Short mmCIF file of all heavy atoms in Angstrom, two decimals:
data_model
loop_
_atom_site.label_atom_id
_atom_site.label_comp_id
_atom_site.label_asym_id
_atom_site.label_seq_id
_atom_site.Cartn_x
_atom_site.Cartn_y
_atom_site.Cartn_z
N MET G 251 -21.42 -2.93 6.09
CA MET G 251 -20.58 -4.10 6.32
C MET G 251 -19.62 -4.31 5.14
O MET G 251 -18.44 -4.60 5.34
CB MET G 251 -21.43 -5.35 6.55
CG MET G 251 -22.15 -5.34 7.89
SD MET G 251 -23.28 -6.72 8.11
CE MET G 251 -22.20 -8.11 7.93
N VAL G 252 -20.11 -4.12 3.92
CA VAL G 252 -19.25 -4.26 2.74
C VAL G 252 -18.16 -3.20 2.76
O VAL G 252 -16.99 -3.48 2.50
CB VAL G 252 -20.09 -4.17 1.44
CG1 VAL G 252 -19.21 -4.00 0.22
CG2 VAL G 252 -20.98 -5.40 1.30
N LEU G 253 -18.52 -1.97 3.10
CA LEU G 253 -17.55 -0.88 3.16
C LEU G 253 -16.48 -1.15 4.22
O LEU G 253 -15.29 -1.01 3.97
CB LEU G 253 -18.26 0.44 3.46
CG LEU G 253 -17.38 1.68 3.54
CD1 LEU G 253 -16.72 1.96 2.20
CD2 LEU G 253 -18.20 2.88 3.98
N ILE G 254 -16.89 -1.59 5.38
CA ILE G 254 -15.94 -1.87 6.46
C ILE G 254 -15.04 -3.05 6.09
O ILE G 254 -13.83 -3.00 6.26
CB ILE G 254 -16.68 -2.14 7.79
CG1 ILE G 254 -17.31 -0.84 8.30
CG2 ILE G 254 -15.74 -2.74 8.83
CD1 ILE G 254 -18.27 -1.02 9.45
N THR G 255 -15.63 -4.10 5.54
CA THR G 255 -14.84 -5.27 5.13
C THR G 255 -13.84 -4.89 4.06
O THR G 255 -12.67 -5.27 4.12
CB THR G 255 -15.77 -6.40 4.63
OG1 THR G 255 -16.69 -6.73 5.67
CG2 THR G 255 -14.97 -7.62 4.23
N GLY G 256 -14.28 -4.12 3.07
CA GLY G 256 -13.38 -3.67 2.01
C GLY G 256 -12.24 -2.84 2.55
O GLY G 256 -11.09 -2.98 2.14
N THR G 257 -12.54 -1.97 3.49
CA THR G 257 -11.51 -1.12 4.09
C THR G 257 -10.50 -1.98 4.84
O THR G 257 -9.29 -1.77 4.74
CB THR G 257 -12.14 -0.09 5.04
OG1 THR G 257 -13.06 0.70 4.30
CG2 THR G 257 -11.10 0.80 5.67
N LEU G 258 -10.96 -2.96 5.59
CA LEU G 258 -10.05 -3.83 6.33
C LEU G 258 -9.19 -4.67 5.40
O LEU G 258 -8.00 -4.84 5.63
CB LEU G 258 -10.84 -4.74 7.29
CG LEU G 258 -11.51 -4.04 8.47
CD1 LEU G 258 -12.38 -5.02 9.24
CD2 LEU G 258 -10.47 -3.41 9.39
N LEU G 259 -9.78 -5.17 4.33
CA LEU G 259 -9.01 -5.95 3.37
C LEU G 259 -7.96 -5.08 2.70
O LEU G 259 -6.83 -5.49 2.50
CB LEU G 259 -9.93 -6.57 2.31
CG LEU G 259 -10.83 -7.70 2.80
CD1 LEU G 259 -11.80 -8.11 1.70
CD2 LEU G 259 -10.00 -8.88 3.27
N TYR G 260 -8.31 -3.85 2.33
CA TYR G 260 -7.36 -2.94 1.69
C TYR G 260 -6.23 -2.58 2.64
O TYR G 260 -5.08 -2.52 2.25
CB TYR G 260 -8.07 -1.68 1.20
CG TYR G 260 -7.12 -0.71 0.55
CD1 TYR G 260 -6.63 -0.95 -0.72
CD2 TYR G 260 -6.69 0.43 1.22
CE1 TYR G 260 -5.74 -0.09 -1.32
CE2 TYR G 260 -5.80 1.30 0.63
CZ TYR G 260 -5.34 1.04 -0.65
OH TYR G 260 -4.46 1.90 -1.23
N ALA G 261 -6.55 -2.38 3.91
CA ALA G 261 -5.53 -2.01 4.89
C ALA G 261 -4.48 -3.11 5.02
O ALA G 261 -3.31 -2.84 5.26
CB ALA G 261 -6.17 -1.74 6.24
N ASN G 262 -4.88 -4.35 4.82
CA ASN G 262 -3.94 -5.46 4.93
C ASN G 262 -3.13 -5.67 3.66
O ASN G 262 -2.23 -6.48 3.63
CB ASN G 262 -4.69 -6.75 5.28
CG ASN G 262 -5.20 -6.72 6.70
OD1 ASN G 262 -4.61 -6.08 7.56
ND2 ASN G 262 -6.31 -7.39 6.95
N THR G 263 -3.45 -4.95 2.58
CA THR G 263 -2.74 -5.13 1.33
C THR G 263 -1.94 -3.90 0.94
O THR G 263 -1.58 -3.74 -0.20
CB THR G 263 -3.72 -5.49 0.19
OG1 THR G 263 -4.65 -4.41 0.03
CG2 THR G 263 -4.45 -6.77 0.47
N ILE G 264 -1.67 -3.01 1.88
CA ILE G 264 -0.87 -1.84 1.59
C ILE G 264 0.51 -2.31 1.16
O ILE G 264 1.14 -3.11 1.85
CB ILE G 264 -0.78 -0.91 2.81
CG1 ILE G 264 -2.15 -0.34 3.13
CG2 ILE G 264 0.24 0.21 2.57
CD1 ILE G 264 -2.22 0.44 4.41
N PRO G 265 0.98 -1.85 0.00
CA PRO G 265 2.29 -2.30 -0.47
C PRO G 265 3.40 -1.96 0.53
O PRO G 265 3.38 -0.93 1.17
CB PRO G 265 2.49 -1.50 -1.77
CG PRO G 265 1.13 -1.07 -2.17
CD PRO G 265 0.35 -0.92 -0.90
N GLN G 266 4.34 -2.85 0.64
CA GLN G 266 5.47 -2.66 1.54
C GLN G 266 6.70 -2.29 0.72
O GLN G 266 7.80 -2.72 1.01
CB GLN G 266 5.69 -3.92 2.36
CG GLN G 266 4.53 -4.19 3.31
CD GLN G 266 4.70 -5.49 4.04
OE1 GLN G 266 4.34 -6.53 3.53
NE2 GLN G 266 5.25 -5.42 5.22
N LYS G 267 6.48 -1.48 -0.31
CA LYS G 267 7.54 -1.09 -1.22
C LYS G 267 7.46 0.41 -1.48
O LYS G 267 6.41 1.01 -1.35
CB LYS G 267 7.42 -1.84 -2.54
CG LYS G 267 7.54 -3.33 -2.39
CD LYS G 267 7.31 -4.03 -3.69
CE LYS G 267 7.34 -5.53 -3.47
NZ LYS G 267 6.49 -6.23 -4.38
N ILE G 268 8.60 0.99 -1.84
CA ILE G 268 8.68 2.41 -2.17
C ILE G 268 9.45 2.54 -3.48
O ILE G 268 10.58 2.05 -3.60
CB ILE G 268 9.43 3.20 -1.08
CG1 ILE G 268 8.71 3.10 0.25
CG2 ILE G 268 9.59 4.66 -1.50
CD1 ILE G 268 9.50 3.67 1.42
N ASN G 269 8.84 3.19 -4.46
CA ASN G 269 9.54 3.45 -5.71
C ASN G 269 10.51 4.61 -5.48
O ASN G 269 10.13 5.65 -4.96
CB ASN G 269 8.53 3.81 -6.80
CG ASN G 269 9.17 3.90 -8.16
OD1 ASN G 269 10.20 3.31 -8.42
ND2 ASN G 269 8.53 4.64 -9.05
N TYR G 270 11.77 4.40 -5.85
CA TYR G 270 12.79 5.43 -5.61
C TYR G 270 13.63 5.60 -6.86
O TYR G 270 14.09 4.62 -7.45
CB TYR G 270 13.68 5.01 -4.43
CG TYR G 270 14.73 6.03 -4.10
CD1 TYR G 270 14.41 7.17 -3.37
CD2 TYR G 270 16.04 5.87 -4.54
CE1 TYR G 270 15.37 8.12 -3.07
CE2 TYR G 270 17.00 6.81 -4.24
CZ TYR G 270 16.67 7.94 -3.51
OH TYR G 270 17.61 8.89 -3.22
N SER G 271 13.82 6.84 -7.27
CA SER G 271 14.68 7.16 -8.41
C SER G 271 15.80 8.06 -7.93
O SER G 271 15.60 8.89 -7.03
CB SER G 271 13.88 7.89 -9.49
OG SER G 271 12.88 7.07 -10.00
N GLY G 272 16.95 7.92 -8.53
CA GLY G 272 18.08 8.76 -8.15
C GLY G 272 19.07 8.88 -9.29
O GLY G 272 18.91 8.28 -10.36
N SER G 273 20.07 9.69 -9.06
CA SER G 273 21.14 9.83 -10.05
C SER G 273 22.47 9.61 -9.36
O SER G 273 22.66 9.99 -8.21
CB SER G 273 21.09 11.20 -10.72
OG SER G 273 21.31 12.22 -9.77
N LEU G 274 23.36 8.96 -10.08
CA LEU G 274 24.71 8.70 -9.57
C LEU G 274 25.70 9.49 -10.41
O LEU G 274 25.69 9.41 -11.64
CB LEU G 274 25.05 7.21 -9.66
CG LEU G 274 24.27 6.27 -8.76
CD1 LEU G 274 24.72 4.82 -8.99
CD2 LEU G 274 24.45 6.64 -7.30
N THR G 275 26.54 10.27 -9.72
CA THR G 275 27.58 11.04 -10.40
C THR G 275 28.90 10.82 -9.68
O THR G 275 28.93 10.37 -8.53
CB THR G 275 27.25 12.54 -10.39
OG1 THR G 275 27.19 13.01 -9.03
CG2 THR G 275 25.92 12.83 -11.08
#
C-alpha cells in the first residue's frame, strides 16, 4: 500500500518543465 501510494503521489508531481540549452548565432 505504501509503495502504491508513493507511486501515485510521484506520478502526480512529474515536473511540467523541460530544461533546454541552445546557442544563438
Side-chain angles (χ1 to χ4, degrees):
M251 289 174 59
V252 168
L253 180 64
I254 291 169
T255 303
T257 301
L258 291 173
L259 290 173
Y260 179 74
N262 290 330
T263 62
I264 294 173
Q266 294 176 275
K267 299 176 184 149
I268 299 171
N269 188 24
Y270 182 79
S271 296
S273 63
L274 293 179
T275 62

